[in-house]
Short mmCIF file of all heavy atoms in Angstrom, two decimals:
data_model
loop_
_atom_site.label_atom_id
_atom_site.label_comp_id
_atom_site.label_asym_id
_atom_site.label_seq_id
_atom_site.Cartn_x
_atom_site.Cartn_y
_atom_site.Cartn_z
N ARG A 1034 -5.38 22.45 9.38
CA ARG A 1034 -5.11 23.14 10.70
C ARG A 1034 -5.98 24.34 10.78
O ARG A 1034 -6.81 24.63 9.89
CB ARG A 1034 -3.62 23.65 10.68
CG ARG A 1034 -2.62 22.56 10.96
CD ARG A 1034 -2.29 22.54 12.42
NE ARG A 1034 -1.98 21.22 12.92
CZ ARG A 1034 -1.73 20.89 14.20
NH1 ARG A 1034 -1.72 21.85 15.08
NH2 ARG A 1034 -1.53 19.64 14.56
N TYR A 1035 -5.86 25.15 11.77
CA TYR A 1035 -6.68 26.34 11.98
C TYR A 1035 -8.12 26.05 11.95
O TYR A 1035 -8.53 24.99 12.40
CB TYR A 1035 -6.25 27.45 10.94
CG TYR A 1035 -4.81 27.62 10.77
CD1 TYR A 1035 -4.10 27.25 9.61
CD2 TYR A 1035 -3.98 28.02 11.79
CE1 TYR A 1035 -2.76 27.30 9.37
CE2 TYR A 1035 -2.60 28.08 11.67
CZ TYR A 1035 -2.05 27.79 10.46
OH TYR A 1035 -0.71 27.84 10.34
N GLU A 1036 -8.99 26.90 11.30
CA GLU A 1036 -10.48 26.70 11.34
C GLU A 1036 -10.82 25.74 10.20
O GLU A 1036 -12.00 25.59 9.95
CB GLU A 1036 -11.13 28.00 11.21
CG GLU A 1036 -11.00 28.92 12.43
CD GLU A 1036 -11.15 28.21 13.77
OE1 GLU A 1036 -12.27 27.64 13.94
OE2 GLU A 1036 -10.30 28.26 14.65
N GLY A 1037 -9.85 25.16 9.45
CA GLY A 1037 -10.22 24.23 8.36
C GLY A 1037 -9.70 24.70 7.02
O GLY A 1037 -8.89 25.69 6.96
N ILE A 1038 -10.07 24.01 5.99
CA ILE A 1038 -9.59 24.22 4.67
C ILE A 1038 -10.68 24.87 3.84
O ILE A 1038 -11.84 24.41 3.98
CB ILE A 1038 -9.14 22.86 4.04
CG1 ILE A 1038 -8.04 22.20 4.91
CG2 ILE A 1038 -8.62 23.09 2.62
CD1 ILE A 1038 -7.70 20.79 4.47
N ASP A 1039 -10.35 25.73 2.91
CA ASP A 1039 -11.34 26.30 1.97
C ASP A 1039 -12.17 25.16 1.29
O ASP A 1039 -11.60 24.26 0.76
CB ASP A 1039 -10.53 27.13 0.92
CG ASP A 1039 -11.53 27.96 0.00
OD1 ASP A 1039 -12.39 27.36 -0.66
OD2 ASP A 1039 -11.37 29.17 -0.05
N GLN A 1040 -13.48 25.30 1.36
CA GLN A 1040 -14.39 24.19 0.90
C GLN A 1040 -14.10 23.83 -0.57
O GLN A 1040 -14.27 22.67 -0.91
CB GLN A 1040 -15.86 24.64 1.08
CG GLN A 1040 -16.88 23.70 0.52
CD GLN A 1040 -16.87 22.33 1.25
OE1 GLN A 1040 -16.61 22.29 2.47
NE2 GLN A 1040 -17.13 21.21 0.54
N ARG A 1041 -13.60 24.75 -1.37
CA ARG A 1041 -13.41 24.45 -2.81
C ARG A 1041 -12.30 23.43 -3.07
O ARG A 1041 -12.29 22.75 -4.04
CB ARG A 1041 -13.14 25.78 -3.55
CG ARG A 1041 -14.31 26.74 -3.59
CD ARG A 1041 -13.92 28.10 -4.06
NE ARG A 1041 -13.02 28.78 -3.08
CZ ARG A 1041 -12.60 30.01 -3.19
NH1 ARG A 1041 -12.93 30.69 -4.29
NH2 ARG A 1041 -11.77 30.53 -2.27
N VAL A 1042 -11.43 23.26 -2.04
CA VAL A 1042 -10.36 22.24 -2.14
C VAL A 1042 -11.02 20.89 -2.24
O VAL A 1042 -10.69 20.02 -3.07
CB VAL A 1042 -9.35 22.30 -1.04
CG1 VAL A 1042 -8.43 21.16 -1.02
CG2 VAL A 1042 -8.60 23.66 -1.03
N PHE A 1043 -12.05 20.62 -1.35
CA PHE A 1043 -12.73 19.28 -1.34
C PHE A 1043 -13.51 19.11 -2.65
O PHE A 1043 -13.48 18.08 -3.21
CB PHE A 1043 -13.66 19.21 -0.17
CG PHE A 1043 -13.07 19.59 1.21
CD1 PHE A 1043 -13.51 20.57 1.92
CD2 PHE A 1043 -11.90 18.87 1.63
CE1 PHE A 1043 -12.97 20.88 3.16
CE2 PHE A 1043 -11.33 19.20 2.86
CZ PHE A 1043 -11.87 20.21 3.65
N ASP A 1044 -14.20 20.19 -3.01
CA ASP A 1044 -15.09 20.14 -4.20
C ASP A 1044 -14.24 19.85 -5.42
O ASP A 1044 -14.62 19.03 -6.24
CB ASP A 1044 -15.91 21.45 -4.35
CG ASP A 1044 -16.78 21.69 -3.18
OD1 ASP A 1044 -17.03 20.74 -2.38
OD2 ASP A 1044 -17.15 22.84 -2.95
N ASP A 1045 -13.07 20.51 -5.57
CA ASP A 1045 -12.24 20.31 -6.64
C ASP A 1045 -11.59 18.91 -6.68
O ASP A 1045 -11.68 18.23 -7.78
CB ASP A 1045 -11.05 21.37 -6.65
CG ASP A 1045 -10.12 21.30 -7.77
OD1 ASP A 1045 -10.61 21.55 -8.96
OD2 ASP A 1045 -8.97 20.99 -7.61
N ALA A 1046 -11.11 18.43 -5.58
CA ALA A 1046 -10.52 17.11 -5.56
C ALA A 1046 -11.59 16.04 -5.83
O ALA A 1046 -11.30 14.99 -6.43
CB ALA A 1046 -9.88 16.88 -4.20
N ALA A 1047 -12.89 16.29 -5.36
CA ALA A 1047 -13.89 15.28 -5.63
C ALA A 1047 -14.28 15.06 -7.07
O ALA A 1047 -14.86 14.11 -7.46
CB ALA A 1047 -15.16 15.66 -4.83
N GLU A 1048 -13.88 16.06 -7.94
CA GLU A 1048 -14.05 15.90 -9.31
C GLU A 1048 -13.08 15.00 -9.97
O GLU A 1048 -13.25 14.47 -11.09
CB GLU A 1048 -14.02 17.25 -10.04
CG GLU A 1048 -15.28 18.10 -9.76
CD GLU A 1048 -15.34 19.29 -10.69
OE1 GLU A 1048 -14.36 19.63 -11.37
OE2 GLU A 1048 -16.43 19.95 -10.64
N ARG A 1049 -11.95 14.73 -9.29
CA ARG A 1049 -10.89 13.86 -9.84
C ARG A 1049 -10.63 12.62 -9.05
O ARG A 1049 -9.95 11.80 -9.55
CB ARG A 1049 -9.63 14.71 -9.88
CG ARG A 1049 -9.60 15.74 -11.00
CD ARG A 1049 -8.42 16.67 -10.81
NE ARG A 1049 -8.55 17.38 -9.50
CZ ARG A 1049 -7.57 17.75 -8.76
NH1 ARG A 1049 -6.35 17.40 -9.14
NH2 ARG A 1049 -7.73 18.41 -7.65
N SER A 1050 -11.25 12.50 -7.89
CA SER A 1050 -10.94 11.31 -7.06
C SER A 1050 -12.02 11.06 -6.08
O SER A 1050 -12.90 11.94 -5.86
CB SER A 1050 -9.55 11.50 -6.39
OG SER A 1050 -8.99 10.30 -6.04
N ARG A 1051 -11.95 10.02 -5.33
CA ARG A 1051 -12.93 9.79 -4.25
C ARG A 1051 -12.40 10.53 -3.03
O ARG A 1051 -11.18 10.44 -2.68
CB ARG A 1051 -13.10 8.35 -3.86
CG ARG A 1051 -13.68 7.47 -5.02
CD ARG A 1051 -13.46 6.02 -4.84
NE ARG A 1051 -12.01 5.70 -4.87
CZ ARG A 1051 -11.42 4.75 -4.23
NH1 ARG A 1051 -12.07 4.06 -3.33
NH2 ARG A 1051 -10.14 4.53 -4.34
N VAL A 1052 -13.25 11.30 -2.37
CA VAL A 1052 -12.84 12.18 -1.15
C VAL A 1052 -13.73 11.91 -0.05
O VAL A 1052 -14.99 11.78 -0.23
CB VAL A 1052 -12.97 13.68 -1.61
CG1 VAL A 1052 -12.68 14.52 -0.40
CG2 VAL A 1052 -11.99 14.03 -2.74
N LYS A 1053 -13.13 11.73 1.08
CA LYS A 1053 -13.89 11.50 2.35
C LYS A 1053 -13.43 12.44 3.45
O LYS A 1053 -12.22 12.60 3.62
CB LYS A 1053 -13.72 10.07 2.88
CG LYS A 1053 -14.65 9.08 2.31
CD LYS A 1053 -14.41 7.79 3.02
CE LYS A 1053 -15.16 6.63 2.39
NZ LYS A 1053 -16.62 6.69 2.42
N LEU A 1054 -14.35 13.01 4.25
CA LEU A 1054 -14.00 13.62 5.56
C LEU A 1054 -14.24 12.63 6.61
O LEU A 1054 -15.24 12.00 6.67
CB LEU A 1054 -14.90 14.88 5.81
CG LEU A 1054 -14.89 16.03 4.80
CD1 LEU A 1054 -15.62 17.22 5.41
CD2 LEU A 1054 -13.55 16.37 4.34
N VAL A 1055 -13.23 12.47 7.47
CA VAL A 1055 -13.31 11.44 8.48
C VAL A 1055 -12.93 11.97 9.86
O VAL A 1055 -11.92 12.62 10.03
CB VAL A 1055 -12.36 10.27 8.19
CG1 VAL A 1055 -12.41 9.17 9.27
CG2 VAL A 1055 -12.70 9.61 6.78
N SER A 1056 -13.81 11.74 10.87
CA SER A 1056 -13.64 12.24 12.22
C SER A 1056 -13.17 11.12 13.18
O SER A 1056 -13.60 10.01 13.01
CB SER A 1056 -15.00 12.81 12.78
OG SER A 1056 -14.90 13.08 14.12
#
Side-chain angles (χ1 to χ4, degrees):
R1034 281 264 148 185
Y1035 315 114
E1036 297 308 308
I1038 302 173
D1039 187 303
Q1040 177 62 33
R1041 292 167 294 182
V1042 171
F1043 309 121
D1044 300 342
D1045 182 63
E1048 284 192 350
R1049 285 168 298 146
S1050 202
R1051 293 165 297 145
V1052 174
K1053 272 186 190 294
L1054 302 193
V1055 178
S1056 171

